[in-house]
Amino acid sequence: MNLSQIHNVYFIGIGGIGMSALARYFKTIGKNVAGYDKTPTSLTDQLIESGIAIHFEDNIELIPIDFYSENTLVVITPAVPKSHSEWNYFLGSHFQIKKRAEVLGIITKDTFCFAVAGTHGKTTTSSILGHILFESGADVTSFLGGIVENYNSNLIGNGKTITVVEADEFDRSFLHLYPNIACITSMDADHLDIYGDSATIEASFVEFAEKIQDKSNLFIAKGLPLQGITVAVNEDANYTAFNIRIENSQYVFDVQTPTEVIENLQFGLPGKHNLMNALMAIAMAKTFGTTSEDIAKALHSFKGIKRRFSYQIKTDKVVYIDDYAHHPTEINAVVQAVSELYPNQKVLAIFQPHLFSRTRDFIDDFAQSLSQFSNTILLDIYPAREMPIEGVNSKWLLTKMTNINKQLVSKENLIEAIKNSDEKIIVTIGAGDIGELVNDIKTALLAKYK
């Protein structure tokens, strides 16, 4: 496909974090962009403000007239059901229809492509890397799965020769990419509704790794069963972070590379998992040729990503943190970071499970992770693309949790439940629409602790 011949790009599911980054990109390069999504969000509000037409009813008549022409590309997300009337219209009318991952592959094929893969850490690692490259003056565009605080966007830069992308394992999407430098942060079991078992998902990562012919351009977390340049925190590896300390509420650490020691790097994101993400970005940038000075400066100025251990309130009276974690390993990372920053303090966690299948597949691990909090509130499962599974619900998860203080609460009663709790450290966790409740929770906490 020749994108230069495409005048219009129509997105079905435009409000998704990955889809919206593509929408911003096509708008930036002068394409006519419009789309549909199921519900309005702050993200769709931003897209509309940028001049992109969006509607929220599955109705063919609402598709703008310009998009009926033959030079229209239709981009879909796997979350869209096959019964969707707009999708079926475009299918029946023989339009060019591509998955988001296929479009990313087309965009990045003729660029020098950095691809960040792994079941955890993709967004943070790719955002740090994109920020480092942009700040160093590289001709880069970064397509990200989160809103980076420095830019208030999930698209960094407008470069034509270098791209940074998240290599998403869901639906084997990352096999559409053409990476020059890549990393794999983790290979935990996930998306078992697609893969069936952990061996199959590992095989998919192996297939992705084989896309990198020169293994000196493939960076892997130490311990993964892959050949490449190893990366680790406080362990022997090709790239190692060591001499780690906390000063002024941020990490300060040194990095041993194959050729030098970079000293006294400063980094503001809490949690050892984020140190690993930063180290992966450092290794990739160094291999590309970015100077240590540029890396240090960019790392120090990186402000983080919305919904990735994102502080909403940070006062002497109350701390409120919002995080996207939706897998037991990610929840454990939140626990580690909170415990490191606020030792011996009680924590209220509000968790919205994401997907019936993920809840079923990791029910015991979820229960163990959530039981580490002194008080846990569960919301109902956010279904996303799935239909309910009999017997799989938040009540089942609640029965398996071992902490004394735990309850299942509706979204309508959530604010009242939070106001009735005694904990001064509050964390909201989940990848569903819990992010849309953050402002209301923040307002209620500020009123309670004014």
Side-chain angles (χ1 to χ4, degrees):
M1 174 188 289
N2 188 347
L3 289 177
S4 64
Q5 296 177 352
I6 297 294
H7 296 164
N8 310 306
V9 188
Y10 188 80
F11 289 83
I12 301 178
I14 195 169
I17 193 70
M19 292 280 276
S20 60
L22 276 178
R24 291 184 200 267
Y25 168 76
F26 281 117
K27 179 72 175 174
T28 300
I29 65 171
K31 305 297 184 185
N32 190 20
V33 180
Y36 155 87
D37 207 278
K38 190 175 180 181
T39 52
T41 63
S42 56
L43 196 48
T44 57
D45 290 345
Q46 288 180 5
L47 295 178
I48 291 168
E49 286 172 14
S50 73
I52 296 174
I54 301 176
H55 60 269
F56 302 95
E57 179 186 346
D58 178 16
N59 186 342
I60 297 166
E61 295 180 0
L62 296 177
I63 301 169
I65 188 111
D66 292 350
F67 291 80
Y68 288 93
S69 65
E70 62 182 15
N71 55 12
T72 293
L73 168 65
V74 179
V75 187
I76 62 165
T77 173
V80 175
K82 288 189 165 72
S83 60
H84 197 275
S85 61
E86 292 186 16
W87 183 12
N88 282 292
Y89 165 75
F90 285 119
L91 276 172
S93 303
H94 305 291
F95 277 76
Q96 296 187 80
I97 301 176
K98 298 286 184 184
K99 291 182 180 179
R100 178 183 65 87
E102 292 176 299
V103 176
L104 264 182
I106 293 166
I107 293 170
T108 60
K109 186 174 183 180
D110 295 324
T111 68
F112 189 97
C113 177
F114 292 86
V116 177
T119 42
H120 319 294
K122 288 188 294 293
T123 296
T124 303
T125 303
S126 55
S127 297
I128 297 168
L129 177 61
H131 179 63
I132 290 172
L133 294 174
F134 182 78
E135 287 292 296
S136 70
D139 182 44
V140 65
T141 298
S142 299
F143 299 87
L144 307 170
I147 303 298
V148 184
E149 299 280 7
N150 298 68
Y151 309 92
N152 194 34
S153 179
N154 51 353
L155 187 75
I156 300 177
N158 189 24
K160 295 179 174 58
T161 60
I162 304 164
T163 50
V164 175
V165 298
E166 294 188 32
D168 191 357
E169 73 279 3
F170 175 74
D171 201 25
R172 297 175 173 84
S173 295
F174 55 7
L175 301 181
H176 292 288
L177 300 173
Y178 298 88
N180 299 92
I181 295 178
C183 74
I184 299 177
T185 65
S186 51
M187 290 165 48
D188 290 352
D190 197 6
H191 304 301
L192 297 184
D193 54 324
I194 301 295
Y195 287 98
D197 55 39
S198 58
T200 305
I201 192 170
E202 283 192 14
S204 188
F205 276 106
V206 169
E207 189 175 352
F208 170 76
E210 288 172 353
K211 286 178 162 286
I212 307 296
Q213 298 298 316
D214 183 353
K215 297 308 177 190
S216 66
N217 287 332
L218 176 63
F219 298 86
I220 60 170
K222 186 177 180 181
L224 295 183
L226 298 167
Q227 181 187 355
I229 304 299
T230 55
V231 178
V233 174
N234 279 333
E235 292 184 65
D236 288 335
N238 299 116
Y239 283 81
T240 304
F242 67 102
N243 191 24
I244 301 160
R245 58 266 191 212
I246 296 176
E247 298 177 6
N248 299 320
S249 300
Q250 67 176 3
Y251 283 120
V252 181
F253 61 101
D254 302 337
V255 171
Q256 174 70 64
T257 80
T259 58
E260 66 177 304
V261 175
I262 311 173
E263 296 183 333
N264 299 321
L265 290 169
Q266 299 175 65
F267 182 59
L269 270 62
K272 288 186 171 60
H273 61 296
N274 280 324
L275 267 183
M276 186 66 173
N277 295 334
L279 187 57
M280 277 288 188
I282 291 166
M284 297 172 81
K286 281 296 294 182
T287 299
F288 183 65
T290 309
T291 68
S292 298
E293 292 76 17
D294 281 341
I295 289 172
K297 185 178 178 182
L299 202 64
H300 182 49
S301 67
F302 185 72
K303 295 179 181 178
I305 305 152
K306 289 183 178 178
R307 304 222 62 230
R308 270 31 174 223
F309 210 90
S310 178
Y311 279 100
Q312 303 299 310
I313 304 173
K314 192 177 185 182
T315 69
D316 294 337
K317 294 182 178 179
V318 62
V319 172
Y320 171 30
I321 298 159
D322 180 44
D323 196 277
Y324 188 74
H326 53 282
H327 185 281
T329 300
E330 295 166 348
I331 297 172
N332 287 334
V334 172
V335 172
Q336 185 272 321
V338 172
S339 301
E340 185 175 60
L341 290 166
Y342 306 102
N344 304 318
Q345 295 206 44
K346 293 182 178 180
V347 180
L348 167 64
I350 301 104
F351 177 57
Q352 181 189 47
H354 184 263
L355 298 178
F356 296 102
S357 60
R358 183 182 281 124
T359 305
R360 175 200 61 200
D361 294 338
F362 302 105
I363 186 74
D364 292 328
D365 293 331
F366 273 123
Q368 185 176 17
S369 297
L370 293 164
S371 295
Q372 296 175 86
F373 296 106
S374 52
N375 189 355
T376 305
I377 292 175
L378 291 184
L379 299 178
D380 287 328
I381 296 171
Y382 184 78
R385 58 186 179 269
E386 292 186 336
M387 297 299 290
I389 298 173
E390 186 176 354
V392 178
N393 51 49
S394 291
K395 186 176 181 180
W396 179 39
L397 174 56
L398 192 76
T399 64
K400 286 183 165 285
M401 290 161 49
T402 58
N403 43 350
I404 297 171
N405 297 312
K406 56 182 181 177
Q407 57 181 314
L408 176 61
V409 174
S410 68
K411 283 194 283 189
E412 292 75 21
N413 296 324
L414 178 60
I415 297 298
E416 194 63 30
I418 293 171
K419 289 197 295 190
N420 290 335
S421 70
D422 295 328
E423 288 80 8
K424 304 296 173 59
I425 312 295
I426 297 97
V427 185
T428 43
I429 308 171
D433 61 1
I434 190 171
E436 298 299 312
L437 304 176
V438 167
N439 284 336
D440 290 342
I441 295 170
K442 183 177 178 179
T443 299
L445 288 171
L446 288 172
K448 179 179 177 179
Y449 292 101
K450 61 185 178 182

